[in-house]
Every structure is written in C-alpha cells, then in structure tokens.
Amino acid sequence: MAKVQAGEIELGMRTWGSGDITVLFIHGNLASKDWIEMATTWFPPDLKVIGLDWRGCGDSDRPTPDEDYGNYSMAQHAADMLAAMDSLEIERCHLITHSTGGVIAARMQLEQPDRFGKVLALNPVSPAGLKFDEAGMAMFEGMRKSRDMTRAVMAGAASSLFKMDSFVPGGMPQFRSGVDHMQSMFDKVIDQTFSVGEGIWMGTPVNLTAEHESGALAERIGELHHETLVIWGAQDPIIPREDLENMVATMPNARLVEVPGVGHSMNIEAPQMFAGYVAAMFSGVQP
C-alpha cells in the first residue's frame, strides 16, 4: 500500500504506467483512486497516471472531523492534493476528474493554475456545487447505517450496469445480463464506500451545499482557462446536464460531450471507452 505525505496527513496513492506524461486522477465522493483501475488496462504507454485518495477515503488517513466538517471542505481536499504533488515532485500534470473531484480540481486549478495542462472531467460536479436538502442528508445518514441501502444508492452511480426497471423505491437494483465480469468490481466499490470516514459520509454533502450557497467558487468559473473536455453520460441520475452546459458556457476553453448508454461512471461502466477518451486527450501531449 503506497502513501504520500500531504501536509499533516498521508494520502493513499497508486500509479499506473511509467510514461513521461503525468496525469493525476481525482476521484469522486464515497469513492477511491481504484475507480479508474479497470480502464488502465487500455491506457497508452506514454502516460503515467497517479491516483490519490481523498482524506477519509481509500487508503488515506481519516482525521477526526471538525464540528462543522471544515477539515473536509473542498478547499481542504484541494490543498491535500497540491501538497501531495509537492511531495511527489510533480511540477506539472494533466488532470482526470470524476464527479465531486471536479470541484476539488477546480480549486486546485485556481490556486496554482500554472501546474496544470489539460483536464478531462467525467460527469463533474460543477463549481456551483450541489445543494442537499433534509432528504438528501437523511440519505447519507441511512447509507452509513445500512450496507443494503449503500448498495442500492451506489447502483445509481453506475446505472447502465443494472436493469433500469429494477430501480424502484425500496428495491435492490439487479444487474442486467452480459455484465457478470463487472460484478466483482462493483462489490469492491461497495466495500470501499462502506469504509469511508465520518468526515466523508456527512462532510461531503455539507460542504457541497456550502459551495452552492456561497456561490464564491461559481463566480470564478471564467478563470478556469485550461483546455477541458467535459463528458456527461446520458443516463446520469446525479449530475444535471444543465449544470454542465452552464459551466462550459462560462469557461473560456471547454466543451461538453454527451455519451449515450452510460451513466455517472463511465470509468466503471464502460472502462475501455473511457480509456479511449484518456488516450485521445493526453497521449503525446506534455502538460
């Protein structure tokens, strides 16, 4: 298990490939660096892709959360990632982000813009954040207490692997035919999800809501000048397409691609397709 120092804590890390083009992967909420694992089989040989776990996730340390979850804010996650880059002596790199990792990466780009090249953002939470109401917060509380509920909710993050008519209130989504080889990876996802720290379970929805309500990061979207490809899976039940359209319209060097037949997590649902986007975006391009 590899770790890297990031300020006062250590973050879990994993590296795929040994090429001279460095790409950093920032995962989403309730996830880990391993969410990119299945796609790496098809990554081009000139890439070195480094996945880092957030604090509270995967193999990273799990600091006791502050009362207001301030030490699990999006800004804190971004600071952790930048500190890890310093420890790894990464002067410049490209970025791959997934879901809430998009907000963390946006803060990284704004804090130290010269360290980043191109950005591939998979179904990102926009810098406008997300607002979780009482029902949304209750969902996270319920997931933390029930593995079955966690499994049912996380199926929505990889919706194309499941029979669409099995997504019913109180039910357990069923895998569709032809994806038997994916089930072990999904079981690993559930194991990792259920092991995240307290600061993640409730800290992430609290802090994403704070980002949404303050609007401070959203006001700076126009400063995100890095070449960015935003991918949105058309079956995504989590990220509204409208949020991404608004984000891309404000960014000076971004475009949005809608991909049919996949949901929130192409990196798990269609890993070979995702690897194709990674190769097209970064292979042969120094950051």
Side-chain angles (χ1 to χ4, degrees):
M1 178 194 311
K3 288 195 172 186
V4 59
Q5 196 70 36
E8 78 284 3
I9 66 168
E10 288 186 319
L11 302 183
M13 66 169 289
R14 189 172 175 185
T15 302
W16 293 272
S18 57
D20 62 353
I21 298 172
T22 302
V23 184
L24 187 65
F25 171 56
I26 311 295
H27 66 77
N29 186 39
L30 299 176
S32 78
K33 60 190 177 306
D34 296 330
W35 277 52
I36 205 171
E37 178 181 4
M38 293 184 69
T40 60
T41 299
W42 299 282
F43 284 179
D46 61 348
L47 300 187
K48 178 170 72 174
V49 179
I50 299 172
L52 295 174
D53 292 323
W54 301 4
R55 62 170 58 200
C57 293
D59 297 319
S60 290
D61 293 346
R62 288 156 165 68
T64 301
D66 297 338
E67 186 174 348
D68 64 353
Y69 299 103
N71 62 334
Y72 281 85
S73 68
M74 299 300 107
Q76 180 61 67
H77 289 307
D80 290 344
M81 298 298 165
L82 291 170
M85 288 177 63
D86 291 341
S87 294
L88 294 169
E89 299 182 346
I90 299 173
E91 295 183 6
R92 287 180 61 83
C93 66
H94 298 301
L95 289 171
I96 300 172
T97 77
H98 180 219
S99 193
T100 306
V103 175
I104 296 169
R107 287 198 166 274
M108 294 166 66
Q109 293 165 257
L110 291 169
E111 184 70 22
Q112 297 183 16
D114 292 341
R115 296 186 77 170
F116 303 104
K118 300 167 76 174
V119 182
L120 179 61
L122 177 64
N123 294 68
V125 176
S126 83
L130 288 175
K131 182 175 176 59
F132 291 91
D133 57 14
E134 289 186 11
M137 298 301 293
M139 179 190 72
F140 283 100
E141 286 279 14
M143 289 173 68
R144 185 173 55 164
K145 298 173 183 177
S146 167
R147 188 181 180 89
D148 283 348
M149 184 174 179
T150 295
R151 188 178 186 88
V153 172
M154 294 304 290
S159 57
S160 72
L161 299 181
F162 296 85
K163 299 175 182 177
M164 295 308 294
D165 59 4
S166 69
F167 284 97
V168 295
M172 181 62 68
Q174 301 297 309
F175 284 100
R176 63 177 174 82
S177 61
V179 297
D180 294 352
H181 62 295
M182 308 292 280
Q183 295 187 32
S184 61
M185 178 61 189
F186 189 75
D187 288 340
K188 180 178 179 179
V189 164
I190 300 305
D191 289 341
Q192 289 190 339
T193 299
F194 213 67
S195 72
V196 301
E198 165 69 16
I200 296 298
W201 278 118
M202 305 311 300
T204 301
V206 164
N207 283 300
L208 285 177
T209 299
E211 293 280 11
H212 177 81
E213 292 179 344
S214 79
L217 186 59
E219 290 178 358
R220 301 186 65 187
I221 293 177
E223 299 176 42
L224 296 170
H225 60 79
H226 305 81
E227 181 181 345
T228 302
L229 176 63
V230 178
I231 301 174
W232 184 72
Q235 294 182 18
D236 187 352
I238 299 171
I239 306 297
R241 178 182 170 126
E242 181 181 6
D243 284 6
L244 303 186
E245 290 174 342
N246 293 336
M247 179 179 81
V248 168
T250 308
M251 295 171 65
N253 195 16
R255 61 190 179 99
L256 173 64
V257 172
E258 177 179 329
V259 181
V262 294
H264 185 66
S265 307
M266 186 197 295
N267 43 345
I268 289 177
E269 298 169 69
Q272 190 168 4
M273 181 190 298
F274 181 66
Y277 280 100
V278 171
M281 190 78 174
F282 304 122
S283 184
V285 183
Q286 287 293 337

